[in-house]
Amino acid sequence: MLSDTHRQPDIEIAELIDRLPKVELHVHLEGTLEPELAFRLAARNGVALPFASVEEMRAAYHFTDLQSFLDVYYAACSVLVAREDFRELTRAYLARAHADRVRHVEPFFDPQTHTDRGIPIEAVIAGILDGLADGQREYGITSGLILSFLRHLPAEAASATLDAAEPWLDRIVAVGLDSSEVGFPPEPFAAIFARARALGLRSVAHAGEEGDASLVARTLDSLRVSRIDHGVRAATDPALMRRLAESGITLTACPNSNVRLRVFSTMEQSTIRTLLEAGVAVTINSDDPAYFGGYIGDNYRAVAAALALTSGDLYRLAANAINGSFATAERKRELLDELEGVVAPGRGR
Ligand code: HPA
Ligand code: ZN
């Protein structure tokens, strides 16, 4: 564990974080695969994992950059085979999210990671939808599923994936773009994002994680997304921050991920405070919690401790997530009412 992700905020702030009704807008379902479940699924499906034990698997999670993580993350997905596996993965995440008071979630899944190894897309999507329905019934967690394309694969493959997902598009809220950022620019995906929009889908894309601020601007220009996933590098460009603030673009920051993947060498270097002060609608999320040492509550606590967040900051971060979600206006109102019962808007930053 890195010590800088485990500093604790003061007790009142920690209690407030526990009580905040949370909305999570940046979590990869494949990144919630805990080693215990990976081993159980490996045994059930007759798949070999390159680790002798759960402990050995967890101990191997030392990453030097985004790609070193993605190699491990894609390899571990080999244990996900049947519809029931995707349902269990989704249920396990929602149980953990419920413990952190997550009320609404918009998770990503990467269909190509599974279809490219011969898993039918139906098993992937139907299994995840089963799990999301379980979570709504058991915990009241509402959701909007995001189909994410892998940017290291050609745009034609993304287009074929959208075609294959056609029977389920009424239960998918948005398309996304993830995987290796540097060397895989957004522009080749402009046509498919336009097609997704024409089909009534919203859109989001990863940018400004390893790539610099110019990639955030290029992603907005070419893909016309309503949220940027990560986007934390935008803080180096005041004009871009003004553009983000004025256009109401939500950034889905993932603080523990950024430290684990060395986007920032310490949590104190996180740009979340700078973004808040510039009026950018930044939010706090977990990204790949099974790999980065914590779920959304841990991420809130780590940032609050490192950046001395106030109750006004916490209100703003939680409200940004509600307002930036694709939930209905009615659901947003419910969540804002619940939030305001816990913390007053205050002056914020
Ligand atoms: N960045 C890009 N792709 C990803 C990530 C990330 O942080 N996590 C899972 N896929
Ligand atoms: Zn991500």
Side-chain angles (χ1 to χ4, degrees):
M1 292 285 158
L2 300 181
S3 59
D4 54 3
T5 61
H6 284 262
R7 267 177 56 182
Q8 289 300 314
D10 75 47
I11 190 93
E12 274 172 37
I13 290 290
E15 283 173 8
L16 174 54
I17 290 170
D18 286 346
R19 284 186 289 118
L20 282 181
K22 300 177 187 73
V23 165
E24 179 146 61
L25 302 180
H26 187 157
V27 59
H28 302 262
L29 286 170
E30 293 90 344
T32 71
L33 177 61
E34 293 284 353
E36 288 79 2
L37 180 57
F39 268 84
R40 206 149 50 69
L41 296 180
R44 190 157 90 194
N45 292 323
V47 174
L49 279 168
F51 304 102
S53 66
V54 161
E55 293 71 30
E56 201 181 286
M57 186 166 177
R58 197 165 268 125
Y61 293 170
H62 292 287
F63 309 114
T64 50
D65 57 11
L66 174 59
Q67 194 59 50
S68 67
F69 155 69
L70 290 173
D71 293 343
V72 174
Y73 160 95
Y74 293 131
C77 286
S78 64
V79 303
L80 296 163
V81 176
R83 172 171 174 167
E84 187 57 25
D85 303 344
F86 289 92
R87 179 184 199 159
E88 276 186 51
L89 176 73
T90 306
R91 285 176 61 95
Y93 161 68
L94 292 172
R96 187 62 188 73
H98 173 66
D100 273 350
R101 263 179 222 256
V102 171
R103 300 292 195 238
H104 177 84
V105 60
E106 295 180 0
F108 304 116
F109 73 114
D110 293 335
Q112 291 158 286
T113 300
H114 313 298
T115 52
D116 282 5
R117 31 184 199 94
I119 308 296
I121 196 166
E122 178 178 8
V124 181
I125 302 184
I128 292 171
L129 291 171
D130 290 343
L132 292 174
D134 293 342
Q136 172 135 24
R137 203 174 43 251
E138 289 171 34
Y139 309 120
I141 299 178
T142 52
S143 61
L145 185 58
I146 302 178
L147 185 160
S148 205
F149 303 117
L150 298 180
R151 69 196 311 154
H152 69 271
L153 298 177
E156 294 70 34
S159 192
T161 301
L162 189 59
D163 291 339
E166 201 273 331
W168 298 275
L169 290 187
D170 59 338
R171 278 166 293 164
I172 288 173
V173 75
V175 292
L177 188 67
D178 62 9
S179 190
S180 322
E181 182 177 4
V182 175
F184 299 96
E187 288 83 2
F189 297 91
I192 175 138
F193 271 59
R195 185 152 78 86
R197 256 196 317 280
L199 289 166
L201 296 167
R202 318 288 191 98
S203 62
V204 300
H206 282 54
E209 177 185 19
E210 282 196 334
D212 63 18
S214 70
L215 274 161
V216 173
R218 283 171 56 186
T219 300
L220 291 171
D221 292 339
S222 60
L223 304 186
R224 300 175 51 197
V225 292
S226 45
R227 299 198 300 248
I228 292 283
D229 296 311
H230 293 292
V232 288
R233 299 251 186 158
T236 59
D237 182 340
L240 175 60
M241 286 199 290
R242 270 196 304 282
R243 174 180 179 182
L244 292 168
E246 281 163 15
S247 55
I249 298 286
T250 300
L251 300 189
T252 63
C254 302
N256 278 349
S257 168
N258 289 162
V259 174
R260 290 301 181 101
L261 301 186
R262 309 209 186 158
V263 171
F264 303 120
S265 49
T266 66
M267 193 60 81
E268 284 72 15
Q269 289 169 15
S270 162
T271 56
I272 287 173
R273 176 189 294 288
T274 309
L275 293 163
L276 275 175
E277 286 174 354
V280 177
V282 63
T283 63
I284 290 186
N285 307 271
S286 69
D287 206 3
D288 301 286
Y291 293 91
F292 300 148
Y295 286 75
I296 189 169
D298 298 302
N299 279 273
Y300 266 96
R301 281 185 287 276
V303 181
L307 305 185
L309 296 184
T310 63
S311 61
D313 296 330
L314 292 170
Y315 171 85
R316 187 95 318 277
L317 289 162
N320 286 344
I322 296 169
N323 291 323
S325 76
F326 300 133
T328 61
E330 188 188 1
R331 181 67 174 143
K332 287 185 188 185
R333 192 63 256 164
E334 262 172 34
L335 294 168
L336 284 169
D337 286 347
E338 189 183 352
L339 175 64
E340 284 162 19
V342 170
V343 57
R347 284 182 299 112
R349 284 185 190 274

